[in-house]
């Protein structure tokens, strides 16, 4: 998700609609082949899923891993907030 192109592809898929490689390549400066490579990386990470519809591969977002990451980051954020609150209370004594 740290790659700008992959993040852009995830954003395009975030509405839950299936999209073809051709559709995902529209309005980009990269080739369909490059889009395909990025989608395969996202698929191997479990962030998108592909299925064949006729002669095309269609891709959809898999939101579960993203929800898990968000949950983890929320926990870490809360831990930092708690630590900063304790530090503030200590410093203000």
């Amino acid at each position: 998700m740290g790659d700008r192109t992959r993040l852009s592809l995830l954003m395009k898929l975030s509405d839950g609609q299936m999209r073809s490689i051709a559709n995902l390549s529209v309005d980009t400066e990269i080739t369909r082949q490059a889009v395909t490579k990025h989608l395969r990386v996202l698929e191997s990470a479990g962030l998108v899923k592909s299925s064949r519809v006729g002669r095309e591969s269609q891709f959809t977002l898999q939101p579960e891993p993203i929800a898990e990451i968000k949950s983890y980051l929320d926990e870490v954020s809360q831990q930092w907030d708690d630590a900063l609150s304790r530090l503030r209370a200590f410093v203000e004594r």
Side-chain angles (χ1 to χ4, degrees):
M1 290 176 42
D3 181 274
R4 183 174 293 152
T5 301
R6 292 181 195 137
L7 186 57
S8 173
L9 290 169
L10 289 174
M11 293 297 293
K12 288 181 180 182
L13 293 168
S14 67
D15 64 1
Q17 300 295 312
M18 293 180 77
R19 291 207 166 60
S20 67
I21 293 167
N23 182 281
L24 292 167
S25 300
V26 173
D27 297 329
T28 65
E29 296 179 7
I30 61 174
T31 65
R32 287 183 186 182
Q33 183 179 13
V35 169
T36 301
K37 287 182 180 182
H38 284 288
L39 287 167
R40 296 298 174 205
V41 169
L42 291 170
E43 187 173 31
S44 69
L47 297 171
V48 300
K49 181 179 178 183
S50 68
S51 56
R52 297 290 287 180
V53 177
R55 293 175 30 193
E56 291 187 325
S57 290
Q58 298 278 322
F59 290 83
T60 56
L61 178 69
Q62 297 297 295
E64 296 83 9
I66 294 172
E68 290 175 21
I69 292 167
K70 182 185 179 309
S71 176
Y72 170 75
L73 291 174
D74 288 344
E75 280 183 43
V76 171
S77 177
Q78 186 60 53
Q79 291 171 358
W80 274 104
D81 289 345
D82 294 345
L84 290 173
S85 291
R86 289 191 306 275
L87 178 61
R88 180 180 297 135
F90 177 76
V91 169
E92 291 176 351
R93 286 187 198 176

